Amino acid sequence: MSDHTLKSAQIASLLVSTSCGTGFLLGTGELALHGGMMGCLYAIASALGLVALAACAPGLSITRQSIWTRFNRIYGASVGRAVALLSLVWMTGVLAVQIRGGTAILTLAGITPTSALLLVDGLLICLSTLRLSWLAAGFAICMLACNAVLVRTLFLTDGLDVWLRAPVQFLEGLQGATLNHTGFTAASVVLMVICGADYQQFVFAARTPAIARNGCLLAAGFVFLIGFLPASAVIAASPVWHLRHLADPVQVIPVVLIHTLSGHSASTARTLVIVVLLTTALGAGCSILRAMTDAAASLGSRSSVRPIWSRVLPIALGTIVAIHGQSLVDMMVDLNMVYLTAVGPLVGFALLNRRIPDRYANAMLAIAGSIAIAIYFARWTGLTTFPATYPLTVSLLPLVPISVLLWRRSTAMDSK
């Protein structure tokens, strides 16, 4: 997408496809099964992130420089490589969601969880070596078809009013929600949308700055509209089809789709849903795996085995996260916030056009990254309990005085 060719509708469709993936669909349904309409938090935060991206879109469309491009230009290649390696952290969360979702889908076919997990890992490794442009094109079609079926679910279960009243129920749920966890999740997702190169690439390709802004706003409106759909379908169908008795809550959306389509043949509906959802999970997983492969390959020297381990390593990391037991949304949010915590202080300097020496920039990345990762593992292993907002509080707190000192140094450098 090197040319300014995209119209508002095209930008909106691409942004919606990026936002509404496997984690959006299955993750929202999983949280809605027991959390009600608050399960929409990830989806609504994505819509808010697109609104924020719309505010930045005119400037991004003119400069065609992402935050990370400016980041590399200010701090140099060594810092850029360190950031690229740190990007493995947040991509691991996205890959884990595809592995976890694909495993849950395959178990609906009667495959044991362990066999399903190994099968998904093997398929991702094999398919990531092929040209998968057809999967990218089919991804949006599959997601659109799933949302259309969920609308039919609302009619079958007399739940259309649940969808219409969803925004009010969501606001009521916010009043009784824990502010720490809610704010942490919302902030993480909004920052992910604003800073994500996968989102910004479409803004760069807009014909004009106004078209870039309008495309983001259109996408935000559509994501807001369909953001309540998975949760509404789960809430409406739960008492009708006894969804609360599911052994794996990740399977709730696939089960809803199967029930909705099983008017004539339950086996045909099950096969169709499994194929469609597994295809989307594998397509998204292969896309993120190839990006991780490029980053992992830079860890070592060139060798005949590098193409193998550069795929096996990300799969292994994603599998470990996938089997930990977190919700799909938490897998993405926690690791994304670790990454943002690590690079956040330097991003702030970059946005304010402050220049610090490369060695200090590398030291900042090392300190911030080490703190964020250490606290994440402490919570992940259960060694200690930190609040849900740990990256925003515990991790950043010791970085404040360091940032102040570096700011003073950058001011001194500018005055010379």
Side-chain angles (χ1 to χ4, degrees):
M1 296 186 182
S2 58
D3 299 324
H4 293 273
T5 58
L6 296 183
K7 300 178 182 179
S8 295
Q10 293 172 313
I11 294 172
S13 64
L14 290 168
L15 288 173
V16 170
S17 297
T18 302
S19 300
C20 303
T22 305
F24 173 94
L25 186 64
L26 301 188
T28 298
E30 175 190 14
L31 295 179
L33 186 61
H34 299 291
M37 203 57 70
M38 281 304 297
C40 300
L41 180 61
Y42 177 84
I44 303 309
S46 297
L48 293 176
L50 289 170
V51 172
L53 183 62
C56 306
L60 290 172
S61 179
I62 293 172
T63 62
R64 303 182 74 182
Q65 285 189 346
S66 68
I67 293 175
W68 311 119
T69 301
R70 184 188 298 185
F71 194 81
N72 293 342
R73 179 170 55 82
I74 293 176
Y75 296 116
S78 63
V79 177
R81 285 193 296 269
V83 172
L85 293 180
L86 278 171
S87 67
L88 281 170
V89 174
W90 73 264
M91 286 192 287
T92 296
V94 179
L95 180 61
V97 167
Q98 314 312 319
I99 294 173
R100 178 72 179 88
T103 301
I105 293 165
L106 278 179
T107 54
L108 288 173
I111 303 175
T112 63
T114 301
S115 299
L117 180 66
L118 294 176
L119 182 57
V120 169
D121 287 350
L123 287 172
L124 285 173
I125 292 175
C126 294
L127 293 177
S128 64
T129 64
L130 306 176
R131 296 181 62 87
L132 297 174
S133 57
W134 62 274
L135 277 178
F139 181 82
I141 297 175
C142 290
M143 286 293 103
L144 183 62
C146 289
N147 282 288
V149 175
L150 290 177
V151 173
R152 175 171 168 76
T153 301
L154 295 176
F155 284 99
L156 291 178
T157 58
D158 295 324
L160 190 59
D161 62 319
V162 176
W163 191 20
L164 296 177
R165 292 186 290 105
V168 175
Q169 292 181 349
F170 178 74
L171 291 176
E172 292 175 351
L174 282 178
Q175 296 176 359
T178 303
L179 180 61
N180 287 343
H181 183 267
T182 303
F184 165 63
T185 301
S188 174
V189 175
V190 169
L191 289 172
M192 177 179 66
V193 174
I194 297 174
C195 299
D198 48 347
Y199 289 88
Q200 292 182 5
Q201 62 179 326
F202 308 127
V203 175
F204 297 154
R207 288 187 176 183
T208 66
I211 286 177
R213 182 188 63 247
N214 293 338
C216 293
L217 291 176
L218 282 174
F222 191 76
V223 171
F224 181 83
L225 178 65
I226 66 173
F228 294 107
L229 183 56
S232 299
V234 169
I235 293 171
S238 182
V240 179
W241 294 327
H242 309 291
L243 301 179
R244 292 186 179 274
H245 299 296
L246 288 176
D248 187 353
V250 177
Q251 296 176 336
V252 64
I253 289 295
V255 169
V256 167
L257 294 175
I258 291 171
H259 275 292
T260 304
L261 295 174
S262 60
H264 299 288
S265 175
S267 60
T268 301
R270 181 182 296 271
T271 301
L272 178 62
V273 169
I274 290 173
V275 169
V276 169
L277 291 180
L278 184 62
T279 299
T280 59
L282 290 176
C286 288
S287 177
I288 197 70
L289 178 57
R290 284 191 286 186
M292 295 181 73
T293 296
D294 293 338
S298 64
L299 289 171
S301 59
R302 292 183 176 274
S303 67
S304 59
V305 298
R306 191 178 73 171
I308 299 175
W309 73 258
S310 62
R311 285 180 170 82
V312 173
L313 177 61
I315 286 290
L317 293 174
T319 301
I320 292 172
V321 174
I323 64 179
H324 178 58
Q326 285 180 297
S327 71
L328 297 183
V329 171
D330 285 344
M331 286 182 195
M332 294 186 291
V333 168
D334 281 3
L335 284 173
N336 178 63
M337 207 61 207
V338 169
Y339 173 68
L340 290 174
T341 300
V343 302
L346 289 186
V347 171
F349 281 113
L351 293 176
L352 295 172
N353 290 317
R354 310 305 299 188
R355 177 73 168 85
I356 61 176
D358 292 354
R359 64 180 182 276
Y360 291 126
N362 279 310
M364 174 67 82
L365 283 175
I367 294 172
S370 298
I371 293 174
I373 293 174
I375 296 176
Y376 171 79
F377 275 113
R379 293 178 68 242
W380 193 74
T381 57
L383 293 178
T384 187
T385 302
F386 286 98
T389 52
Y390 74 98
L392 295 176
T393 53
V394 182
S395 299
L396 288 181
L397 189 59
L399 299 179
V400 172
I402 298 175
S403 298
V404 172
L405 291 175
L406 291 179
W407 177 270
R408 292 174 61 86
R409 180 172 290 275
S410 70
T411 304
M413 291 177 60
D414 291 341
S415 64
K416 291 182 180 180

